[in-house]
């Protein structure tokens, strides 16, 4: 693909999206950015692609994860004990599947689902994210990175925090040629939905992922990015245009929700069913995340009020 020493490897994952891109980077030592899921099919594919490039699994000395979703970190369990594992500290309870955190997450989800008006029989299935964790890992980071940090094995890149699609999300930026390894922040053909997350550690509120996401996108548009190596599909070249398009589409969807609420106040789940009349049953967490995102956006812009006095919250247009 024309970038010296960086190889895109596409791996099959057991999700609707089908494939994930991971990046092998040659340097003084070998680094992999993102891993694919903890599935044999995915591991076999990685092994075979590595061997085509003249490498074996154990040649990889550093693994960087862009965020905590299983298609990006699940395969960590298959790496040798002495591999350096790099990511944002917020990944930790997800990638170790820390039991106290997971229990709190389940409890939080049930309460939140009731507040959003999700029927009991749907909420009882639990969050989709939890079901995908069977393809994830139980392994801690060995090196935490934050905004501005340099990863030892990748001296040309600087870590930038790009929360939104996940609050754990980082990207790697190389200033000399404007190259960004961007995980799922901005994809060429699909919008990468911010997914609902529970509050973490001592946080009281859940992260408002859509606001973080828009902020991260605006930041990308202001940077001098020549190319984004993405987590799924092709590279993104037209960053500024695409950011404008994605932000515009999101605003339109928020307006649609606002119009619905002007007709009558609704629960988040009612809005969700109207926005996604068939999809809400098949992709509950995704569609609810998207809906709550639009409501968060409208609330932030002071367009709606929320009546939280009853168990099921009602959203009113102002
Ligand atoms: Zn992904």
């Amino acid at each position: 693909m024309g970038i010296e020493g960086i190889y895109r490897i596409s791996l099959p994952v057991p999700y609707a999206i089908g494939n994930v891109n991971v990046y092998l980077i040659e340097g003084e030592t070998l680094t992999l950015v993102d891993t694919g899921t903890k599935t044999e099919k995915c591991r076999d594919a990685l092994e075979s692609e590595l061997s085509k490039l003249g490498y074996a699994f154990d040649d990889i000395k550093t693994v960087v994860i862009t965020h905590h979703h299983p298609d990006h970190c699940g395969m960590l369990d298959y790496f040798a004990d002495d591999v350096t594992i790099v990511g944002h500290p917020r990944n930790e309870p997800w990638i170790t599947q820390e039991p106290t955190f997971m229990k709190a997450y389940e409890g939080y989800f049930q309460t939140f689902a009731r507040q959003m008006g999700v029927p009991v029989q749907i909420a009882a299935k639990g969050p989709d994210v939890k079901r995908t964790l069977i393809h994830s890992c139980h392994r801690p980071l060995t090196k935490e990175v934050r905004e501005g940090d340099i990863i030892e094995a990748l001296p040309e890149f600087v870590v930038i925090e790009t929360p939104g699609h996940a609050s754990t999300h980082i990207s790697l930026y190389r200033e000399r040629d404007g190259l960004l390894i961007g995980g799922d922040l901005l994809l060429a053909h699909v919008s990468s939905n911010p997914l609902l997350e529970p509050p973490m550690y001592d946080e009281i509120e859940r992260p408002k992922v859509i606001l973080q996401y828009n902020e991260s996108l605006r930041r990308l548009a202001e940077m001098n990015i020549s190319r984004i190596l993405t987590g799924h599909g092709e590279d993104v070249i037209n960053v500024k245009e695409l950011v404008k398009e994605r932000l515009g589409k999101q605003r339109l969807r928020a307006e649609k929700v606002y119009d619905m609420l002007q007709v009558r106040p609704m629960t988040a789940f009612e809005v969700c069913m109207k926005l996604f009349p068939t999809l809400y049953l098949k992709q509950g967490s995704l569609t609810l995340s998207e809906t709550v995102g639009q409501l968060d956006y409208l609330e932030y812009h002071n367009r709606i009020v929320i009546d939280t006095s009853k168990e099921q919250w009602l959203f009113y247009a102002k």
Side-chain angles (χ1 to χ4, degrees), residues 13 15 17 19-21 34 66-67 69-72 165 169 183-185 187 192 231-232:
V13 293
Y15 305 132
I17 194 133
N19 288 77
V20 66
N21 295 329
D34 287 338
T66 58
H67 61 294
H69 295 161
D71 46 341
H72 298 263
H165 172 68
H169 202 292
D184 285 356
L185 183 56
L187 304 177
S192 59
H232 303 273

Side-chain angles (χ1 to χ4, degrees), residues 2 9 17 42 53 57 59 63 67 73 94 97 109-110 118 124 128 147 243 273 282 293 318:
I9 300 175
I17 194 133
C42 197
L53 295 166
F57 225 83
D59 292 330
V63 180
H67 61 294
C73 67
W94 293 107
Q97 302 195 39
F109 174 84
Q110 292 301 340
V118 177
D128 293 350
E147 177 74 27
V243 165
M273 286 191 296
K282 276 183 251 153
K318 272 193 179 174

Side-chain angles (χ1 to χ4, degrees), residues 208-266:
K208 297 287 165 68
V209 282
I210 197 161
L211 304 176
Q212 293 182 339
Y213 185 65
N214 289 353
E215 198 52 50
S216 293
L217 285 187
R218 278 194 287 270
R219 184 175 175 194
L220 283 197
E222 281 163 16
M223 290 168 67
N224 235 335
I225 297 169
S226 59
R227 175 182 294 267
I228 303 179
L229 307 181
T230 63
H232 303 273
E234 295 306 311
D235 298 352
V236 170
I237 317 282
N238 54 337
V239 179
K240 290 180 205 297
E241 261 171 74
L242 197 56
V243 165
K244 212 172 149 193
E245 188 188 315
R246 291 285 147 78
L247 290 175
K249 276 200 179 142
Q250 186 271 313
R251 265 199 306 277
L252 276 182
R253 188 167 267 176
E255 288 308 323
K256 200 170 156 188
V257 171
Y258 181 76
D259 291 345
M260 289 177 196
L261 295 178
Q262 272 198 318
V263 178
R264 66 175 177 90
M266 287 185 224

